[in-house]
Amino acid sequence: MRRWPYTFAVVLSLITGATAIVATLALDVTLKDPEGFLGPAYVRLPVMGLGFFAIGIVPQALKRFGLKGFWGGMRTIVREEWTWRRAGYIATGLLCFYVSYVGYRNLKSLLPLIREDVIYDTDFLRIDHWLAFGNNPAELLHAVLGTTVMAQVLAFVYVSYLPLIPVTLAAFLVLNRDVSIGAWYATALCLNWVLGTVSYYIFPTLGPAFAQPSMFLDLPDTGVTALQQSLFKNGVIFKSDPTGETIYGIAGFASLHVSVTLTAALFFHHIGLKPALRYIAWAYFVLTVIATLYFGWHYILDDFAGAFIAWASVTIGALVTGNFRQRRPFFRRRKDPAPDPQPSPAA
């Protein structure tokens, strides 16, 4: 695995994709390519990769060769620093991410067909009330943070997650010459999709916003409101006709918003990214956790489970890509202190 750090990610993505294909065929449901507002994943991921490729070359060419020698300088940089092997690593990372994500979304969409007889929202609501000392976590947050400015801020944070994660993946794959770093991050993200899917089937839940929508009627219209309405509408359409083109996307346990953002924060910390970027990642994670409860996406246990998935994904990803106890400071063994120097013999 140290020779080719994508071994685990490739096997994992193939198993995930194959499982999704077999499951959809068995249930006579169409395998779907989930689309976000940035377009299909098979389009936006290569575009992001090419964009960061340009970012890595253009400034360097301008600095080294100036405007007059710009085009020739770009060719020189590509010849010196870019090989088919490096391009292959980048393509492999993006493809593993894409296949795992498509498999995850399709297996998540089959949840109401396979586990429709079991829903744990009532139990999770009771646990939430117990953990919040007899209160509802969302109502407490509404009272403390208000439902005006913070609603808009948290909505922006929650929705911005959708493009930020593939963007960060493309950045690490393209801009790092150490290919094991990109492989580590890609593998950790793939593990998030797989472990998240497993958690959905262990404890199927809808989430507070869908189980008790009356608690969130006082919130203003935001991007989160539109997203929840869209998910609800698609859920109704899917249940009425699972063989159609609509994909089902409602699941509470565990919170993949929490797991993926914590994965990014932990990964940035482990590789020693610049402090400002690490602090931003941790702040973004904290705001995401608050947003999951504030808008009723998840229960408290969902967020704890998401945090565990993040830790497991980053740790396993480090292990299978050759980064565990190798060069990364948080996984390096503590060296034994050097022995005290022996006193020189007396003359």
Side-chain angles (χ1 to χ4, degrees):
M1 287 185 181
R2 288 182 188 173
R3 257 187 203 177
W4 196 54
Y6 281 103
T7 303
F8 183 88
V10 168
V11 173
L12 184 68
S13 62
L14 288 175
I15 292 174
T16 306
T19 303
I21 292 172
V22 171
T24 52
L25 288 174
L27 295 171
D28 196 25
V29 176
T30 306
L31 186 71
K32 304 174 184 69
D33 177 35
E35 296 184 4
F37 63 89
L38 294 177
Y42 62 84
V43 172
R44 66 177 181 266
L45 285 176
V47 168
M48 289 176 189
L50 291 173
F52 281 104
F53 174 75
I55 291 172
I57 293 178
V58 172
Q60 190 177 356
L62 286 172
K63 182 179 179 180
R64 288 174 56 183
F65 301 96
L67 284 174
K68 290 184 178 180
F70 175 71
W71 293 109
M74 285 188 62
R75 290 193 294 269
T76 300
I77 292 172
V78 170
R79 284 197 305 268
E80 291 176 352
E81 300 183 9
W82 288 85
T83 63
W84 285 110
R85 185 166 178 255
R86 184 178 178 184
Y89 277 118
I90 295 170
T92 301
L94 292 174
L95 190 60
C96 288
F97 176 88
Y98 171 71
V99 172
S100 297
Y101 179 72
V102 171
Y104 147 74
R105 287 297 304 274
N106 278 273
L107 291 170
K108 180 181 181 180
S109 185
L110 300 178
L111 187 61
L113 302 180
I114 299 175
R115 296 279 281 164
E116 62 180 345
D117 57 325
V118 182
I119 294 292
Y120 290 94
D121 283 273
T122 301
D123 302 291
F124 277 62
L125 281 168
R126 289 173 180 166
I127 295 173
D128 259 14
H129 279 81
W130 181 76
L131 291 174
F133 304 100
N135 300 289
N136 183 278
E139 292 177 342
L140 282 177
L141 288 173
H142 297 167
V144 172
L145 301 177
T147 56
T148 52
V149 176
M150 280 305 298
Q152 301 296 335
V153 171
L154 293 173
F156 172 79
V157 169
Y158 194 89
V159 175
S160 64
Y161 155 97
L162 299 173
L164 275 180
I165 296 306
V167 165
T168 58
L169 173 63
F172 277 102
L173 289 176
V174 175
L175 299 179
N176 279 282
R177 296 184 184 182
D178 183 350
V179 295
S180 72
I181 292 179
W184 181 5
Y185 194 35
T187 302
L189 292 176
C190 291
L191 280 165
N192 271 269
W193 308 137
V194 173
L195 296 176
T197 303
V198 172
S199 70
Y200 293 158
Y201 281 87
I202 294 175
F203 291 114
T205 61
L206 300 175
F210 298 100
Q212 286 190 342
S214 59
M215 293 190 300
F216 305 92
L217 295 178
D218 293 336
L219 293 178
D221 288 338
T222 62
V224 165
T225 309
L227 182 58
Q228 288 176 336
Q229 291 173 349
S230 175
L231 288 173
F232 180 79
K233 179 182 177 181
N234 289 341
V236 172
I237 295 173
F238 178 85
K239 288 184 177 181
S240 64
D241 181 20
T243 61
E245 293 300 318
T246 304
I247 194 165
Y248 182 86
I250 300 174
F253 184 90
S255 171
L256 287 199
H257 262 71
V258 169
S259 74
V260 173
T261 53
L262 180 55
T263 292
L266 287 171
F267 174 74
F268 294 172
H269 219 85
H270 288 329
I271 66 172
L273 211 58
K274 291 182 179 180
L277 295 176
R278 297 204 307 266
Y279 298 151
I280 290 172
W282 283 110
Y284 188 84
F285 161 69
V286 171
L287 289 174
T288 299
V289 172
I290 295 172
T292 62
L293 302 174
Y294 184 93
F295 291 109
W297 287 107
H298 295 289
Y299 303 102
I300 294 175
L301 284 185
D302 299 349
D303 288 351
F304 276 113
F308 173 78
I309 289 175
W311 171 83
S313 298
V314 172
T315 303
I316 296 172
L319 178 65
V320 299
T321 57
N323 287 292
F324 194 81
R325 298 183 187 276
Q326 294 299 314
R327 289 161 294 172
R328 311 295 172 245
F330 276 67
F331 290 122
R332 188 181 298 154
R333 286 178 182 168
R334 188 177 64 182
K335 294 181 180 180
D336 294 327
D340 293 330
Q342 296 296 324
S344 57

